[in-house]
Amino acid sequence: MRLSPPVAVIGAGFGGLAAAMRLAAGGCAVTVFEAMPEPGGKARSERSGPHALEAGPTVFTMKPVFENLFAEIGADFDSAVKTTPLACLARHFWPDGSELDLFADRDRSSDAIAAFAGPKAAEGFRRFCMDSRSMFEALDLSFMRRAKPGPVELARIAGLSAMLRIRPFTRLWDALGDYFPDPRLRQLFGRYATYCGSNPFLAPATLMLIAHAEMEGVWAIEGGLPKLAKAMARELERLGGTLRCDARVTRIETRQGRVSAIVLASGEVFPAEAVIVNADTEAFHLGLLGDAMREAVPARTRAKRSLSAVTVSLAGHISGPGLPMHNVFFSRDYAREFRQLAQGHMPEDPTLYLCALDRRDSPMNRRGSEERFLALINAPPRGDDLTFDKLEPNQCQARIEAALSRHGVRILPGCHSPRTMTPQDFEALFPGSGGGLYGQATHGAMASFQRPGARTRIPGLYCAGGNVHPGAGVPMVTISGSLAAEALLTDLASTSRFHPVAMPGGISTPSATMAGTR
């Protein structure tokens, strides 16, 4: 007779949901506890009148990660989630009035870059594509999908030549100069460091692989990333797992040195033989999950926090040039912008990301009705710092309006008020983060090796999410959940009381590069 030990997952973000799906498929009696009303974690929405305004990540890449996850539990991703591939990855605007689109078709991007900055720039782009692909392939199966290999083990697995190709000791900004003499292109490809909350002037050249992941494909999800989280929750429940929302966990209890139960804000005690925490790991050190958890993983200093953000979600009408779904409006002085962020200040002239949520590849609103938008500017992760001046919503909106107006773009809000989020608001939603949205920043050659793995110092306690290996971003967080489930199932199987059902070994899924692919 197979016994099903009770397992608790704290947090219904993509890491927690992926872990729970694999655990339920592996024979565990798994319950996910989420403090917010709906699953999704940072992939959340804000209600404004009739509109569900997306207020989290909007770029969906590395689709095979999700296809493989669904296949492993006996489901079909494309039946559960409707996606549309985007021909235009993003449109980029500079203060001098120049514009450049990047496309899923590399040849089309190369032609656009040649027209934008000349044939040498296009040749540099083609070399950049080759090298970023090489980096991705060197790290995909050997590092990102493995249980936290160290640098020596990685060198053994990937090989010395692969280690040299990933350029861990070269800063991203310096490496980009080898490909792009044009400062605008250097700015464009440096921005990929911000996808994991990092500073392009401090991040290693290895983060070039993020550009490759995006150039392999960007998809629009019908209903946005919150809809993906709900689809994952449905699969969890189909497998016999349970999702409990509006259920905030305040403490993890131990008995004889190992996890024994969780305690909810309501006072309810839920016995658990194992717990996966999909939350900021600083919550441990701050005692937010009980004093017994303070030393569960190595501490992370505030200096290592990733970027935060100020976001504005709104519905309204737009005037000016036609826009695709994803748009970037660059600042006048990129180096100054990131100096101010590193010093803990809001940038006076920020780079702005604007997502036109209801558009796909059409640059126009064909219906003439209100559209939904998400605007984002980078901010320092000082949401728990009482000396950090909180920007009022109208100040945030004014900075965003100024960045748009340089390019003749204006958004006229509709009948319902925009929803603004600041670092303080993100800290309140995700305690211990300081508002940092991506866990630990990837600064320096060893940063990727300094993240905790799935296992912790406390038997029965595991971690998933952007704070742990392999890092931030929706696909990486999802992989972290699978790694946590794999570690837990392996550990439970070593006891005499649990015999898991047959499951594929490890995360030996096809490479996203080879299968096709934020």
Side-chain angles (χ1 to χ4, degrees), residues 462-488:
Y462 305 82
C463 290
N467 296 269
V468 302
H469 175 75
V474 171
M476 297 296 101
V477 165
T478 302
I479 290 172
S480 81
S482 290
L483 288 171
E486 181 181 6
L488 193 157

Side-chain angles (χ1 to χ4, degrees), residues 87-88 225 333 401 454:
C88 179
L225 282 160
D333 188 337
E401 289 170 4

